Amino acid sequence: MTEHENTNEVPLSIEAGTLLKNKRESLGMSQKQVADRLRLRVSVIEDIENNRFESQQVATFTRGYLRSYAKFVGLDEKMVLTALEQTADVQPQEQEIEMQSFSRKTKDEKHNSRIMLLTWVIGLVIIGISAAWWWQNQQENSLTKEVTDSSVEAPKPTAQELADIDLMTAEELIASTPEDVVSTSNDVVETSEVPVEQGSDPLLAETENTTSVDSEEPVAVIETAEAEQPAPVVPEGMTLLTMKFKADCWIQVKDTNGKTLVSGTHKPGQDVELTGKAPFKVILGAPEGVTMTFASEPVDLSGYTSGKVARFTLPL
């Protein structure tokens, strides 16, 4: 075996960095000279000679440094790389790529989890706002219904008034308004009681009572027909609206709550009196044939064109 072949043999106990260090020292060169020639830092040369290879460093760079160093000091590159593979813990490039892929996947999963959490938070906020809006609308609708029911509830006649109406004749009912019916029936009852108190003979008192009632009934009917009707009673918080028709006219009136108070076609003589919460939304099919009052004040309809539908809100 020749001397050259002996120099190329790699003892199993010698590492790659040690081989390079021994060769450099045999040539009488310093670490700085090698670093300047290879254009590397002195610390890199020290790490190579001490066999300190960074695990984060790519295997290609490590092999490149060793190959350049071996070529510079005159060692066989294959011998140095063989020693590196036998003694050094250098990870192949494929493993490094796999670790980078795993790290990227972990970062993506973390980013996606944050986006999912933010989406859930936004969804819960939207659901909460929607529930609050629905609950508020339900409360408002319930309150509006209660107010409407209380405003349209009409007073019921008492049992005494119903009994008095039963005592009246058909002529009196036709000729009188409901208020007149009650007042007329009261007059009849009072008239029937007076003769009993004044007379001493029960039979005579009954005869006089019958005669008095028969003679006074026509007078009561006449007075009722001739007397002016009393002004309608307007509940507190309501407003009176009246309409008189000189010609056929289709009308519609809604109160402030949007409830339709009257709707349809009215002919002359079919006057309308109603009460409700103002403002009123009014539609008149033929405004020239209608006379109106709002809160006992006349409403000027002269500004609306004859033959065209008038839409307005009271008060004007």
Side-chain angles (χ1 to χ4, degrees), residues 21 42 79 96 114 119 129 207 220 236 265 287 291:
K21 178 180 179 181
V42 177
M79 179 182 66
E96 181 70 21
R114 290 180 179 176
T119 303
I129 294 175
T207 304
E236 185 177 357
T265 303
T291 303

Side-chain angles (χ1 to χ4, degrees), residues 147-165:
V147 172
T148 304
D149 293 342
S150 62
S151 63
V152 300
E153 184 177 356
K156 296 182 179 179
T158 62
Q160 180 62 37
E161 292 175 349
L162 292 175
D164 293 340
I165 293 173

Side-chain angles (χ1 to χ4, degrees), residues 240-245 249 251 253 261-267 269-275 290-293:
L240 176 64
L241 178 67
T242 65
M243 296 183 182
K244 294 185 179 182
F245 302 92
C249 179
I251 65 170
V253 180
L261 302 179
V262 63
S263 178
T265 303
H266 288 253
K267 298 179 180 296
Q270 296 180 346
D271 299 339
V272 174
E273 284 188 1
L274 56 87
T275 57
V290 184
T291 303
M292 299 179 61
T293 63

Side-chain angles (χ1 to χ4, degrees), residues 213-223:
V213 171
D214 294 339
S215 61
E216 289 181 1
E217 280 183 354
V219 176
V221 173
I222 296 172
E223 290 177 355

Side-chain angles (χ1 to χ4, degrees), residues 60 80 83 89 125 130 173 273 277 294:
T60 304
V80 176
D89 184 20
V125 171
S130 300
L173 290 174
E273 284 188 1
K277 285 191 174 182
F294 175 76

Side-chain angles (χ1 to χ4, degrees), residues 43-62:
S43 60
V44 175
I45 302 300
E46 292 178 352
D47 290 339
I48 292 175
E49 292 182 351
N50 294 326
N51 298 293
R52 294 195 302 264
F53 302 106
E54 299 178 359
S55 59
Q56 296 85 0
Q57 192 172 19
V58 181
T60 304
F61 293 159
T62 302

Side-chain angles (χ1 to χ4, degrees), residues 75-93:
L75 280 178
D76 187 7
E77 298 177 8
K78 294 182 178 180
M79 179 182 66
V80 176
L81 294 178
T82 301
L84 175 65
E85 294 176 356
Q86 292 177 352
T87 59
D89 184 20
V90 179
Q91 297 180 344
Q93 185 177 5

Side-chain angles (χ1 to χ4, degrees), residues 125-277:
V125 171
I126 293 175
I127 292 173
I129 294 175
S130 300
W133 175 80
W134 178 85
W135 181 83
Q136 184 177 4
N137 281 350
Q138 289 294 109
Q139 295 295 324
E140 292 178 355
N141 292 339
S142 177
L143 180 60
T144 303
K145 184 177 180 181
E146 291 178 359
V147 172
T148 304
D149 293 342
S150 62
S151 63
V152 300
E153 184 177 356
K156 296 182 179 179
T158 62
Q160 180 62 37
E161 292 175 349
L162 292 175
D164 293 340
I165 293 173
D166 292 339
L167 297 175
M168 299 179 65
T169 62
E171 292 79 2
E172 291 175 338
L173 290 174
I174 295 173
S176 304
T177 62
E179 292 81 0
D180 296 334
V181 170
V182 177
S183 61
T184 305
S185 61
N186 292 337
D187 293 340
V188 173
V189 174
E190 292 176 358
T191 306
S192 63
E193 292 177 354
V194 172
V196 176
E197 294 178 358
Q198 294 178 354
S200 58
D201 189 353
L203 181 59
L204 180 60
E206 184 177 356
T207 304
E208 293 177 355
N209 184 21
T210 304
T211 306
S212 175
V213 171
D214 294 339
S215 61
E216 289 181 1
E217 280 183 354
V219 176
V221 173
I222 296 172
E223 290 177 355
T224 304
E226 294 177 354
E228 294 183 358
Q229 294 184 356
V233 178
V234 180
E236 185 177 357
M238 303 292 181
T239 306
L240 176 64
L241 178 67
T242 65
M243 296 183 182
K244 294 185 179 182
F245 302 92
K246 298 178 290 185
D248 294 354
C249 179
W250 184 90
I251 65 170
Q252 184 183 78
V253 180
K254 292 185 178 181
D255 63 5
T256 186
N257 296 322
K259 180 180 179 181
T260 301
L261 302 179
V262 63
S263 178
T265 303
H266 288 253
K267 298 179 180 296
Q270 296 180 346
D271 299 339
V272 174
E273 284 188 1
L274 56 87
T275 57
K277 285 191 174 182

